[in-house]
Amino acid sequence: MSDGMQMTPMDVDPIDDGPKSMPPAPSSPLNQRELTVLKEEDARQAIDMLRGEDVAGRVSAANKIEGIAVALGHERTREELLPFLADGIDDEDEVLVSIASSLGKLVEHVGGCDHAEKLLMPLELLLTVEENTVRDAACASTKVVADSLPSYVFETRYASLLEDLANKEWFTARISAATLLPSAYARLTRSQQTSHLQNFESLCKDETPMVRRVAAQQLGHILKAVLKAKGRMCFTPDGEVSKTIIPLYEFLATTEQPDSVRLQTTENCVAFGQVLSEVGPNWTE
């Protein structure tokens, strides 16, 4: 390289990983301390973008949340990043979708299964948002987090979260409850299974058609979950399928229901047929 040639500084934000004005000059490898400083600086810039007024910038930063968590480490992610995200729930839907999707990727970055319940705090808020794309992303991440929870946390903190959602005044929370209950059913205690199936029954009969529609969508899934947890006994005259699920199917299929609710029974027919074929012809015995 000639003596007259000079390097120009990087002309883009480092966290965007964008093009550089020219290749970097050869340098000695960075030591671990220098790498840590660079990562923390990237994280700080991304957090500043999350605070900024530019929506596109906030979306971009929200998509980098996993990288921010890596830079901050387990403890700071739990104690600083998650509360910060929870405080920013009142944001544009595009930003919230990115945040909701990212939270499901953070289990290992908060310290693994033993600390995964910390992720439920911001997710619980996102599960009540009015925009359905945000709730859908939050539900998907919540299922990932729930799968990682130890049994004692699942049966206490997570079961309590589902109970709260199912009984909240906001219909958006009840929609999320209807979506999450089937996947949780098998890991609940026996008494919790009874109470949460009652909650699901209430959601199927909810006064808000949008809640009934989502509950109707999930009816086949709750049927499969009950069969997995209880076996053929759930098909006896006093079993959950006979006493609760089949009557719910009949209720949701009536002509008195709006089309948006009643049309879900087509998919449920398929699910019911699959379950009955697995159980066999003598399913009531």
Side-chain angles (χ1 to χ4, degrees):
M1 183 180 298
S2 64
D3 294 339
M5 183 178 295
Q6 294 182 352
M7 296 296 295
T8 59
M10 185 182 295
D11 60 356
V12 295
D13 192 317
I15 65 173
D16 286 334
D17 197 25
K20 302 172 179 59
S21 57
M22 60 184 300
S27 60
S28 59
L30 295 174
N31 61 38
Q32 188 61 44
R33 179 180 176 83
E34 290 171 324
L35 285 172
T36 300
V37 170
L38 286 176
K39 288 180 179 179
E40 290 186 355
E41 179 61 26
D42 289 349
R44 190 178 302 111
Q45 290 186 37
I47 290 174
D48 287 342
M49 290 174 68
L50 278 172
R51 295 191 180 106
E53 296 183 0
D54 179 57
V55 174
R58 295 203 302 276
V59 171
S60 176
N63 286 324
K64 296 181 173 72
I65 286 176
E66 187 176 9
I68 297 173
V70 171
L72 294 179
H74 297 168
E75 184 175 357
R76 292 186 65 192
T77 296
R78 295 194 303 266
E79 303 302 327
E80 299 177 29
L81 179 59
L82 295 184
F84 170 77
L85 294 176
D87 287 342
I89 295 304
D90 186 19
D91 205 329
E92 299 294 331
D93 293 334
E94 302 95 316
V95 179
L96 297 184
V97 169
S98 296
I99 291 174
S101 298
S102 296
L103 287 170
K105 305 172 185 177
L106 297 187
V107 172
E108 66 175 290
H109 303 304
V110 297
C113 299
D114 290 339
H115 299 281
E117 67 174 301
K118 293 286 188 179
L119 293 164
L120 296 178
M121 174 185 60
L123 282 170
E124 184 172 5
L125 298 173
L126 290 164
L127 289 168
T128 67
V129 170
E130 185 173 357
E131 171 56 41
N132 65 326
T133 57
V134 177
R135 292 197 312 275
D136 289 346
C139 282
S141 288
T142 300
K143 290 177 182 179
V144 172
V145 173
D147 286 344
S148 73
L149 295 174
S151 294
Y152 72 94
V153 178
F154 190 95
E155 294 169 3
T156 52
R157 175 72 174 90
Y158 190 62
S160 176
L161 169 62
L162 295 179
E163 181 79 23
D164 290 344
L165 289 172
N167 291 283
K168 280 189 180 296
E169 181 179 356
W170 308 314
F171 77 91
T172 53
R174 302 198 299 275
I175 287 176
S176 294
T179 303
L180 294 171
L181 276 170
S183 61
Y185 185 87
R187 289 190 64 190
L188 297 169
T189 65
R190 291 283 180 171
S191 61
Q192 288 173 338
Q193 286 174 348
T194 299
S195 63
H196 281 68
L197 187 58
Q198 290 172 348
N199 285 337
F200 187 81
E201 181 179 10
S202 297
L203 294 170
C204 287
K205 299 177 180 180
D206 196 274
E207 63 181 5
T208 305
M210 287 179 286
V211 177
R212 297 202 303 275
R213 177 177 62 81
V214 174
Q217 289 174 344
Q218 298 297 322
L219 190 61
H221 297 295
I222 198 74
L223 170 65
K224 294 177 181 179
V226 170
L227 177 61
K228 179 180 178 180
K230 300 296 181 70
R232 293 172 62 96
M233 291 297 295
C234 66
F235 284 93
T236 62
D238 291 328
E240 292 83 356
V241 173
S242 302
K243 291 185 66 175
T244 302
I245 297 178
I246 290 178
L248 285 176
Y249 173 86
E250 294 171 344
F251 171 77
L252 293 168
T254 62
T255 55
E256 297 177 0
Q257 296 288 350
D259 288 346
S260 62
V261 175
R262 183 165 46 83
L263 292 176
Q264 304 303 322
T265 57
T266 303
E267 293 295 327
N268 287 325
C269 280
V270 175
F272 273 61
Q274 290 174 342
V275 168
L276 292 178
S277 65
E278 292 174 9
V279 174
N282 300 319
W283 55 272
T284 58
E285 296 180 0

